[in-house]
Amino acid sequence: MNVLVINCGSSSVKFALFDGDEQLVTQGKRERLGSDTAQHKETHKEAVAAIFETVAEYQIDAVGHRVVHGGADITQPQQIDQAVLDAIEEHIPDAPMHNPFSKAAIESAQDVFPSVPHVAVFDTAFHARMPRRATTYAIDQDVAERHGIRRFGFHGISHEYAAGIAAEFLERPLNELRLITLHLGNGASACAVEFGRSTETSMGNTPLEGLVMGTRSGDVDAGVLLSLLRSGEFTVDELDDLLNNKSGLLGLSGQGNDLREIQHAAADGDDRARLAINVFAHRARKYIGAYAAAMGGVDAIVFTGGIGENSASMRRRILQRLEFLGCVLDEDRNHDASVHSDQDHALITTPRSRVEAIVVKTNEELMIARETKRVVHATERPTPKTIPIAISARHCHLTEETFATLFGADATPTPMKDLSQPGQYACEEQVTVIGPRNQIERVRLLGPLRKANQVEISRTDEFHLGIDAPVRRSGNVRGSAPVTLKGPEGTVKLTEGLICAHRHIHMHPDDAEAFAVSDGDEVAVAITGGNRDLVLGDVTIRVHENFRLEMHIDTDEANAAELGKNATATLSPVDVDDDAYAVYTELAATAALTRLG
Ligand code: ADP
């Protein structure tokens, strides 16, 4: 599969064409783009059109597009459809120098290559599952919510790629490593890659926060912005221009944003150039310390981007005095380190350094091509189908006799709320479940009344009560655990009836046909898209005319996947046994969080 990658930056468009073996067929870059017609600048649109002419002689099977901002909901590369285009459009105000060009490039590419899949790979996606403590600004949360003020992080494609190369070099799985990746180019950011995931990164709501960059300030006291606005010297747009285009290395040095020139000036004794270099290195070192603390340790520090890959002196400045962390630079290795297309990494610490420092040649285009291929293969599988997840809190089903003892001979269950399965409802009535060790109050009764008593609790509840209950399918209570129930009018000692419910998926026969499963089949299901990925085996398929498609798991299982309110999850039955589970449609599921109890 030949994949064309389009990487649209604020003033440049890069492209690369990879063949099926990830070999680069051709690449190129068109720079200094802009709308300045007075200077006859090439526009992004013209640049993209020129690129398509350049690659016209090759067969293109898929196109991968780099998109800077996809927002908090996009955690994965996506095959481009209208919803993805809308998400890119929605985040134009958050990434005004990138998203409009990406969107335009995608639309042109779709015109030129209408019959091949187009995939968007997002800079924000790698960071989309950062913990809330890292994404939240300490401002009034109502204001934050109304304006979508949260930290997103950028450069995710490069951080993820560099972390992967570092793990390969260290010969350890990424999910066992705590890495700090520093992408130091014209834009610059640091990322704490904790066990394979981004858990902190220095760019925030916009790419302006964090490290010192070519022309961007990085961190500035917000009070300074208020003072500058109050001074009357700057309009909002002028302040934007100051912080984004006239700050960073350029603003500090007064020389320009190219580190090489600043280094020459510093060598000639220019004080501002020296200060620029020192502020840049100090800020990066500060973030390394912060991220080591945030992760509770660090195994390796990874440098990438134009400065990270090429400037030995900047790497030395950044790593100086980090011996206390266990990171000891090897001056010779650092000086000689050279990364290029045939050598994608170099070690720059001494053999006795506990924390290794590695230089990695970033290759965002290759990463985009890889992801594009992966998404295209995944979407060639059968169409996704959505299964909602309902989380069952502890509850009980009672017989008429037990109900009468607990609530009085004349009482009848009082329906309170219909449940998703037709004919089932939660009742006003609640009972106390009593075990040898403890009791649990307010356990909800579900109606209608049944032929056998059945109390469904989680494993955690069992420990609390001090009872071992078997995992059983609903209705199969013979020989299950004894338990005492107490109601307002009386107490019943059941000799059996307490179970830990076997997780299951309710299905209408039509769904069963669509998933190619039958009643009683056991499938394994991977829940992704919650805060923690989770594979559940032994999930029973239950098929009935009256059932509505829904997976039922208990609170322990839901907590293990950290399914938050309104979370969405992707369920895919895992290939456990080809004969029994011949379905492996990817099932997207919305965690509807229906509380049954
Ligand atoms: P972008 O973020 O635009 O892709 P790059 O990753 O290409 O930027 O990084 C550009 C930066 O790298 C510039 O500041 C440039 O000065 C710096 N750089 C490139 N080569 C060297 C070098 N040999 N020594 C010092 N700085 C370098």
Side-chain angles (χ1 to χ4, degrees):
M1 178 192 278
N2 284 347
V3 182
L4 173 66
V5 173
I6 305 281
N7 181 347
C8 234
S10 48
S11 64
S12 67
V13 183
K14 292 186 217 164
F15 73 95
L17 179 65
F18 294 89
D19 68 15
D21 299 322
E22 296 190 349
Q23 295 302 311
L24 188 63
V25 178
T26 178
Q27 67 176 337
K29 186 174 184 178
R30 303 192 73 93
E31 293 178 283
R32 297 193 189 84
L33 309 180
S35 51
D36 195 342
T37 43
Q39 286 185 29
H40 303 293
K41 276 193 169 181
E42 190 179 37
T43 64
H44 281 76
K45 207 170 160 193
E46 287 160 354
V48 169
I51 288 170
F52 294 150
E53 263 176 45
T54 315
V55 297
E57 61 183 289
Y58 303 99
Q59 177 186 324
I60 309 286
D61 302 306
V63 186
H65 298 266
R66 173 186 174 214
V67 180
V68 162
H69 210 319
D73 296 331
I74 295 187
T75 60
Q76 296 283 334
Q78 306 277 328
Q79 179 141 1
I80 297 171
D81 56 13
Q82 193 52 47
V84 172
L85 284 171
D86 289 348
I88 297 170
E89 167 106 39
E90 185 191 330
H91 289 286
I92 284 178
D94 303 316
M97 288 156 67
H98 292 91
N99 272 27
F101 303 125
S102 299
K103 186 162 178 266
I106 290 169
E107 285 165 348
S108 316
Q110 284 177 325
D111 283 346
V112 178
F113 307 104
S115 55
V116 307
H118 292 254
V119 172
V121 183
F122 297 88
D123 265 87
T124 43
F126 184 51
H127 308 296
R129 292 204 275 171
M130 283 195 294
R132 282 202 310 168
R133 59 178 176 269
T135 58
T136 308
Y137 287 107
I139 60 169
D140 182 318
Q141 291 300 286
D142 292 336
V143 176
E145 187 136 328
R146 263 189 286 123
H147 293 270
I149 306 288
R150 51 156 282 165
R151 307 187 65 253
F152 292 106
F154 299 88
H155 282 152
I157 302 167
S158 178
H159 287 298
E160 190 174 3
Y161 178 81
I165 299 284
E168 248 174 59
F169 165 71
L170 295 168
E171 294 184 350
R172 287 177 62 190
L174 193 52
N175 63 12
E176 284 178 10
L177 289 168
R178 286 170 297 191
L179 304 174
I180 297 171
T181 50
L182 298 166
H183 177 105
L184 310 176
N186 239 330
S189 70
C191 181
V193 186
E194 191 174 352
F195 309 130
R197 282 200 179 180
S198 165
T199 53
E200 248 299 358
T201 192
S202 57
M203 285 179 171
N205 185 256
T206 70
L208 186 53
E209 192 181 349
L211 302 180
V212 177
M213 306 180 217
T215 61
R216 278 173 259 165
S217 61
D219 296 334
V220 174
D221 177 355
V224 170
L225 316 186
L226 301 178
S227 307
L228 289 177
L229 282 175
R230 279 201 195 102
S231 74
E233 192 184 325
F234 295 90
T235 63
V236 173
D237 286 344
E238 285 163 352
L239 192 55
D240 187 324
D241 187 42
L242 177 78
L243 296 170
N244 274 303
N245 304 325
K246 297 189 174 139
S247 298
L249 289 174
L250 168 74
L252 283 164
S253 70
Q255 301 268 340
N257 62 342
D258 192 316
L259 182 64
R260 284 163 291 201
E261 283 163 24
I262 297 169
Q263 286 171 331
H264 287 138
D268 290 342
D270 185 304
D271 189 53
R272 279 182 66 176
R274 287 185 177 173
L275 180 65
I277 291 168
N278 283 328
V279 175
F280 187 99
H282 171 77
R283 182 86 54 87
R285 190 167 59 239
K286 196 166 86 169
Y287 269 90
I288 292 175
Y291 287 0
M295 292 191 288
V298 54
D299 297 300
I301 299 165
V302 185
F303 288 90
T304 193
I307 295 173
E309 290 165 27
N310 298 303
S311 177
S313 65
M314 184 56 83
R315 292 193 300 257
R316 175 164 39 75
R317 275 175 201 281
I318 292 172
L319 292 182
Q320 70 192 351
R321 296 191 301 152
L322 286 184
E323 287 83 2
F324 80 97
L325 257 186
C327 183
V328 187
L329 187 74
D330 185 317
E331 291 286 355
D332 292 336
R333 283 181 175 169
N334 183 46
H335 182 266
D336 297 341
S338 157
V339 289
H340 41 82
S341 48
D342 298 327
Q343 172 63 40
D344 60 9
H345 66 271
L347 179 72
I348 57 168
T349 36
T350 66
R352 71 185 170 87
S353 184
R354 253 189 310 114
V355 173
E356 279 156 305
I358 305 159
V359 182
V360 169
K361 172 145 187 62
T362 194
N363 196 339
E364 287 169 295
E365 285 75 28
L366 176 60
M367 185 81 181
I368 294 166
R370 250 180 220 166
E371 293 291 325
T372 300
K373 223 161 80 173
R374 198 176 56 75
V375 170
V376 170
H377 286 316
T379 42
E380 277 166 1
R381 281 184 258 143
T383 337
K385 194 162 160 53
T386 298
I387 294 186
I389 303 174
I391 301 166
S392 309
R394 56 180 87 97
H395 63 270
C396 63
H397 304 276
L398 300 179
T399 61
E400 271 184 35
E401 190 189 348
T402 309
F403 184 83
T405 315
L406 298 181
F407 293 96
D410 300 331
T412 49
T414 323
M416 180 181 79
K417 193 179 87 181
D418 282 340
L419 300 179
S420 48
Q421 295 306 316
Q424 303 282 307
Y425 50 91
C427 303
E428 298 281 358
E429 287 78 9
Q430 294 174 321
V431 302
T432 300
V433 177
I434 302 168
R437 182 136 40 105
N438 283 301
Q439 62 181 38
I440 300 175
E441 288 167 9
R442 294 192 297 279
V443 176
R444 180 78 57 198
L445 170 68
L446 300 194
L449 295 173
R450 290 190 176 182
K451 290 205 186 71
N453 295 301
Q454 180 171 307
V455 183
E456 298 180 35
I457 60 173
S458 69
R459 276 277 182 263
T460 305
D461 293 340
E462 283 178 35
F463 288 121
H464 181 69
L465 292 173
I467 313 181
D468 278 342
V471 175
R472 287 286 178 83
R473 295 187 191 167
S474 183
N476 176 11
V477 290
R478 189 178 302 165
S480 60
V483 69
T484 301
L485 302 182
K486 187 165 153 249
E489 299 297 327
T491 300
V492 173
K493 270 188 158 181
L494 302 178
T495 54
E496 60 182 28
L498 186 73
I499 65 167
C500 185
H502 197 118
R503 44 189 173 246
H504 53 270
I505 303 175
H506 289 271
M507 286 189 182
H508 186 270
D510 292 347
D511 300 317
E513 195 184 331
F515 293 121
V517 289
S518 316
D519 187 53
D521 277 358
E522 299 253 312
V523 294
V525 177
I527 302 183
T528 57
N531 271 334
R532 297 160 77 189
D533 295 346
L534 182 70
V535 176
L536 295 172
D538 315 326
V539 182
T540 306
I541 300 291
R542 297 179 54 194
V543 183
H544 193 280
E545 283 289 334
N546 289 345
F547 286 166
R548 224 186 66 181
L549 183 64
E550 193 169 67
M551 176 165 174
H552 287 183
I553 56 178
D554 72 16
T555 44
D556 282 355
E557 290 155 345
N559 289 341
E562 284 186 32
L563 292 182
K565 203 173 164 199
N566 301 324
T568 54
T570 308
L571 303 191
S572 48
V574 172
D575 195 350
V576 181
D577 170 350
D578 282 350
D579 291 338
Y581 322 122
V583 197
Y584 308 115
T585 321
E586 206 160 299
L587 317 176
T590 350
L593 289 200
T594 315
R595 296 249 166 220
L596 292 183

